[in-house]
Amino acid sequence: MKDMYEPYVTDDGRTIGRCLMDMRNITLRFGGVEAIKNISFDIREGEIRAIIGPNGAGKSSMLNVVSGFYVPQEGEVWFRGTKRPPMKPYQVARQGIARTFQNIALFEGMSVLDNIMTGRLGHMKTGLFSQAWWYGSAQKEETVNREAVEKVIDFLEIQHIRKTPVGRLPYGLKKRVELARALAAEPKLLLLDEPMAGMNVEEKEDMSRFILDVNDEFGTTIALIEHDMGVVMDLSDRVVVMDYGKKIGDGTPDEVRNNQAVIDAYLGVSHD
Amino acid sequence: MSTATASAGALVSVPHLLARNAAEYGGKAAYREKEFGIWQSWTWSQAQHEIESMALGLLELGVARGDFIAIIGRNRPQLYWSMVAAQMVGAVPVPLYQDAVAEEMAYVLEHCGARYVIAGDQEQVDKVIEVQETVSGIEHIIYVDKRGMRKYDHSAMNSMEDIKATGRAAHERFDRELADRWQSLTYDDTCVMLYTSGTTGRPKGVVLSNRNIIETSKNSADFDGLRAGDEVLAYLPMAWVGDFIFSIGQAYWTGFCVNCPESADTMMTDLREIGPSYYFAPPRIFETQLTNVMIRMEDAGRFKKWLFHTFMGVAKRVGPQILDGKSVGGMDKLKYGLGRLLVYGPLLNTLGMSKVRVGYTAGEAIGPEIFDFYRSLGINLKQLYGQTEASVFITQQKDDEVRADTVGTPTPGVELRIADDGEVYYRSPGVFVKYFKNDESTASTKDAEGWVATGDAGFIEPDTGHLRIIDRAKDVGKMADGRMFAPKYVENKLKFFPNILEAVVFGNARDRCTAFINIDLTAVGNWAERNNIAYASYQELSQHPRVLETIQAHVEEVNASVAADEMLSGCQIHRFCVLHKELDADDGEMTRTRKVRRRIVEEKFADIIDALYSGAPEVSTETEVTYEDGRKGSIKATLDLRDAAVVADQKRMAAE
């Protein structure tokens, strides 16, 4: 195997970045249930990495391990070359990891702008007092952060709903706002939990374009869970396939597509 | 710099005007664009600097005099500057409709033989690349928005930023060449080439000279007292002649400020923030705004509703008189003043029209109720009549002679003539030079003395001198029994109902008239919501029995009104159907300026028309549709065909 901490060029000419996150022999249990069984994989800089699998395969649990929300009973998580100790979610966010949720988790009563602004919290240094009175360095800080937020708004083309309360938006736009909030944090690693669930074809196309653009424009590494096979195969550079908590495949979309274990898991096995 | 000397010279081209403006209004805002949530602005001297950088970059790229440079994208200062930069180097800017699909673009790019294309963003670049598969003349693409462009092959492509940077770097080499090129422009050089939307057949390239644009801008700006310090919102397609006249011609002549919205979806918010003093909108926009106001009032509390309706009643009664400067009673004056404080003022502010000093609508007939609504609020809304071939202006209304049913008196410098068959002819300094590569059409439209046929039938009112337009001359026909058939007249009456978005009337050479109707999804959808009517799609809503009943009532009301006009009583609608899809420019049923292409609709829906005339109660049909990305699909539907009551013709009855 090639040195995982150095970038290399594949046979078909793509550059694979150095290893950003390395999951080593992860096992996660909830009481007697083993949600993840001894799984290892890596996420490399600048790639779009998909985690797929049938319902209950443990994908969301896996993403929660990556985001630091769950601490696995066994195994190690290495991030940018160092082993990661158990962390609070805000510490993970400071490290440069942002995420979106399967069920949208926005502040419904707040405007789109304010929601996205919350994504900048990790970049704010001033205290409660100066922010509340908009006093001293808080003024300058707000301007700087607002500018960053406006760039995201422009990027995701949601200028027209800037001041709209999130609760009034249709589903597809809420998903986009959630992505915007995650992007506002300027993450190194972006985790997307089913970014296209419940969307129609047009919305899926838009979302795919945004994911590719984010990856292309900001060089953000993206790990995503998605059910729509067409989308996954088109978007991602490499795919991990899970079934019943085990890893049954790992590789480029083409490799995964032709993997017998994956075909069996998705299409079922005949018992004759 | 050459600025000072040029301003003393004659103002014979847009670059000459730019030099004058930079010298005279150097510190005043020339352009604004909302970006990143803030209005960014550029003064005339900053704009001049940007434009010169672009022009130098174009020279560096090798643009020759007389080259055509196509410009595609939404209204952005960068693209307006591109047009002027193209003129500066002696090239001809050709703005294209940004929502045109690749094959429409291919025709225009091939026809004008554009060597360079300046595109707004990735979406437009993609279309140009697709066009390049069949059209070979395009040598270089310049794009404004860098987003998503990183991985493209840049061997014949650059960002506008690069072009400006290389231009600036090379200014020592090209300064003299640039000054020479724009200073040698004359009044008769081509200013811009605009393609007509093409209600019939292929688009034609209308060549307009500096004389056309500058004379027209001067006359029309004088007419309305436009001046530096006025504000306009540039949101209509850049490929449309009106936008060119407002945002370049008049803006450069008077030195007023052009404001570009953040995106198409934020236009209404941006309008409100800018508060333009000079505003143009097609009737459709005024209709939509009024519909929105009415919908929101339906949802308001009882007191607010009462307040709104009471004071709108007052406005309707005395508003127009007050606007025209006629005297009204003291009590009414007081009531109107109170209304302005409580209702009209806040409403105008919400609509973004608090500061409108001169407002225009044109392109289609506007419903008298809609027109009066805005005028009663105190907006100086007027009508004008024009076309690309005239550099817009043919007639317009004077401030104190505004009426809903005419299009006004000739603009200064324009002569009018009505031919024997009723067609309107005009002659003016704005009359176009020629159609590009189409001498035959040029000759059939413009005669040796410079008279141009408008293609519209109309007449001049003897006592007021106002022009009234009846219909497109081509569309006016005769019915089987010899009575006059004027479809537009009836369609306009139908479209005045908020529930009806579009209507197409048939009946030429037939014994009776029938119609297609498109419902307005905003209005009908809101009505459905209030009445608990569930629907899953446009198609389902359009065929809902209660919708059909409402539309039938509208059609019958129109019939009654048409019957009152002796000349046109034959145009009453005997049968109609509500179409299962909106007529759309992507499907070729409309032009990009949203005018119905009658022939194409007739051919495409021939089965439905046959069914209407055969008397069948319903018809099953399948229609091809084109999606926004150019892919095709089809929709099937069974349409209800309905009979509408007609008013018997009294005279004919008596005769029989």
Side-chain angles (χ1 to χ4, degrees), chain A residues 146-147 150-151 154-157 159-160 162-163 201-202 205 209-210 213 215-218, chain B residues 34-38 122 145-151 262-263 265-266 269 273 628-629 631:
Chain A
R146 172 73 190 268
E147 194 180 343
E150 284 295 341
K151 290 205 166 122
D154 183 65
F155 189 83
L156 293 179
E157 294 166 9
Q159 299 99 333
H160 59 295
R162 192 184 276 128
K163 300 273 170 73
V201 179
E202 205 173 312
E205 279 178 357
R209 190 163 59 86
F210 287 127
D213 281 353
N215 180 250
D216 186 36
E217 202 78 350
F218 307 127
Chain B
K34 194 170 184 190
E35 210 178 12
F36 306 128
I38 296 174
Q122 186 189 7
D145 192 345
K146 280 186 164 181
R147 176 180 168 179
M149 297 300 303
R150 199 186 302 271
K151 289 179 178 162
E262 191 167 23
S263 74
D265 297 327
T266 60
T269 326
E273 287 173 0
E628 263 177 42
D629 58 4
R631 282 181 298 173

Side-chain angles (χ1 to χ4, degrees), chain A:
Chain A
M1 198 180 166
K2 303 205 170 64
D3 180 7
M4 61 188 332
Y5 290 106
E6 283 308 316
Y8 67 94
V9 178
T10 57
D11 300 337
D12 56 347
R14 287 178 306 132
T15 309
I16 302 291
R18 68 169 66 86
C19 182
L20 183 70
M21 183 166 259
D22 193 19
M23 316 292 288
R24 298 184 186 168
N25 306 96
I26 303 288
T27 298
L28 179 72
R29 291 189 207 94
F30 297 105
V33 182
E34 264 196 340
I36 301 173
K37 295 169 192 154
N38 193 24
I39 285 186
S40 303
F41 70 93
D42 62 344
I43 300 170
R44 287 179 171 270
E45 259 174 24
E47 74 173 346
I48 299 182
R49 185 74 147 130
I51 305 173
I52 63 170
N55 280 331
K59 304 181 298 289
S60 287
S61 301
M62 192 72 234
L63 206 68
N64 279 321
V65 172
V66 175
S67 74
F69 188 66
Y70 290 157
V71 179
Q73 280 80 4
E74 287 166 37
E76 295 169 354
V77 179
W78 287 67
F79 184 61
R80 308 177 89 193
T82 50
K83 188 176 159 186
R84 192 168 77 181
M87 280 183 165
K88 296 253 161 42
Y90 74 86
Q91 292 172 312
V92 177
R94 289 246 164 100
Q95 279 202 326
I97 299 178
R99 68 167 299 175
T100 67
F101 298 85
Q102 192 172 346
N103 311 310
I104 297 166
L106 292 165
F107 302 100
E108 295 265 314
M110 274 163 42
S111 72
V112 168
L113 182 67
D114 289 341
N115 265 285
I116 302 173
M117 208 65 175
T118 61
R120 297 293 300 175
L121 274 181
H123 295 260
M124 297 197 190
K125 306 274 178 311
T126 50
L128 180 67
F129 180 80
S130 54
Q131 285 194 11
W133 295 97
W134 203 54
Y135 159 80
S137 53
Q139 291 185 10
K140 200 174 161 216
E141 197 181 65
E142 170 149 342
T143 313
V144 170
N145 285 304
R146 172 73 190 268
E147 194 180 343
V149 167
E150 284 295 341
K151 290 205 166 122
V152 174
I153 289 178
D154 183 65
F155 189 83
L156 293 179
E157 294 166 9
I158 46 178
Q159 299 99 333
H160 59 295
I161 52 167
R162 192 184 276 128
K163 300 273 170 73
T164 316
V166 164
R168 270 176 44 194
L169 296 178
Y171 182 78
L173 275 176
K174 282 188 187 169
K175 280 274 192 192
R176 216 190 285 180
V177 173
E178 220 191 12
L179 176 61
R181 182 179 58 184
L183 276 183
E186 294 175 32
K188 306 219 164 38
L189 176 61
L190 178 62
L191 308 176
L192 306 174
D193 196 348
E194 300 206 11
M196 331 233 174
M199 285 189 172
N200 63 32
V201 179
E202 205 173 312
E203 289 170 333
K204 277 183 186 171
E205 279 178 357
D206 281 349
M207 197 51 138
S208 304
R209 190 163 59 86
F210 287 127
I211 291 173
L212 287 172
D213 281 353
V214 168
N215 180 250
D216 186 36
E217 202 78 350
F218 307 127
T220 312
T221 310
I222 296 171
L224 63 92
I225 295 178
E226 185 48 58
H227 272 297
D228 188 318
M229 276 307 119
V231 168
V232 169
M233 295 301 175
D234 280 354
L235 282 184
S236 31
D237 298 305
R238 290 190 304 154
V239 183
V240 179
V241 193
M242 292 177 69
D243 194 18
Y244 293 113
K246 284 183 290 197
K247 182 168 102 171
I248 57 170
D250 189 353
T252 63
D254 280 336
E255 287 165 11
V256 165
R257 221 189 309 251
N258 300 319
N259 181 331
Q260 192 55 44
V262 177
I263 297 172
D264 290 348
Y266 269 89
L267 302 177
V269 189
S270 59
H271 294 283
D272 50 11

Side-chain angles (χ1 to χ4, degrees), chain B residues 225-489:
Chain B
L226 302 175
R227 52 186 183 232
D230 273 327
E231 305 274 347
V232 291
L233 189 74
Y235 67 100
L236 291 158
M238 287 180 67
W240 176 62
V241 64
D243 189 59
F244 191 84
I245 285 284
F246 302 139
S247 305
I248 292 198
Q250 294 179 335
Y252 278 70
W253 177 258
T254 60
F256 64 59
C257 179
V258 174
N259 299 282
C260 299
E262 191 167 23
S263 74
D265 297 327
T266 60
M267 183 253 164
M268 283 300 162
T269 326
D270 298 335
L271 177 69
R272 200 179 153 189
E273 287 173 0
I274 283 298
S277 56
Y278 177 37
Y279 179 60
F280 179 93
R284 186 180 295 260
I285 291 203
F286 288 110
E287 280 166 33
T288 315
Q289 279 194 320
L290 176 58
T291 310
N292 286 341
V293 168
M294 289 307 177
I295 287 172
R296 283 173 66 176
M297 281 321 297
E298 290 288 338
D299 298 337
R302 230 202 243 156
F303 175 68
K304 280 188 185 166
K305 254 191 217 171
W306 173 83
L307 206 64
F308 177 77
H309 290 295
T310 313
F311 281 105
M312 283 319 294
V314 175
K316 202 172 177 181
R317 202 150 41 80
V318 298
Q321 279 98 300
I322 291 177
L323 190 63
D324 288 343
K326 289 174 196 146
S327 67
V328 292
M331 195 60 202
D332 280 339
K333 218 180 247 174
L334 190 72
K335 275 190 193 159
Y336 191 82
L338 196 60
R340 181 172 293 162
L341 201 67
L342 295 172
V343 180
Y344 322 140
L347 183 57
L348 285 179
N349 189 22
T350 309
L351 293 170
M353 296 186 195
S354 304
K355 294 187 188 156
V356 173
R357 192 162 53 81
V358 182
Y360 272 111
T361 179
E364 293 275 333
I366 187 165
E369 292 84 12
I370 299 165
F371 193 67
D372 288 343
F373 171 83
Y374 288 98
R375 284 194 60 82
S376 68
L377 288 176
I379 299 173
N380 183 21
L381 181 61
K382 311 193 282 182
Q383 298 198 75
L384 67 83
Y385 171 66
Q387 54 179 208
T388 311
E389 286 83 348
S391 314
V392 180
F393 297 96
I394 299 174
T395 65
Q396 56 193 134
Q397 294 176 329
K398 288 200 186 81
D399 279 350
D400 51 357
E401 289 182 27
V402 180
R403 287 165 50 189
D405 57 346
T406 79
V407 291
T409 50
T411 304
V414 179
E415 300 165 77
L416 274 189
R417 197 185 78 197
I418 308 292
D420 297 338
D421 60 356
E423 189 167 351
V424 181
Y425 285 75
Y426 64 91
R427 185 162 70 174
S428 77
V431 165
F432 71 119
V433 180
K434 61 176 180 185
Y435 290 121
F436 188 62
K437 289 195 208 161
N438 195 344
D439 293 336
E440 198 185 318
S441 286
T442 310
S444 67
T445 311
K446 185 170 91 163
D447 69 14
E449 290 166 39
W451 288 96
V452 180
T454 57
D456 287 324
F459 62 93
I460 297 171
E461 282 188 350
D463 29 334
T464 60
H466 279 237
L467 177 67
R468 277 178 75 168
I469 299 295
I470 309 173
D471 205 332
R472 294 280 304 164
K474 273 196 209 80
D475 294 336
V476 177
K478 285 206 160 52
M479 304 194 53
D481 55 6
R483 284 178 298 170
M484 184 174 170
F485 170 68
K488 194 69 158 286
Y489 175 80

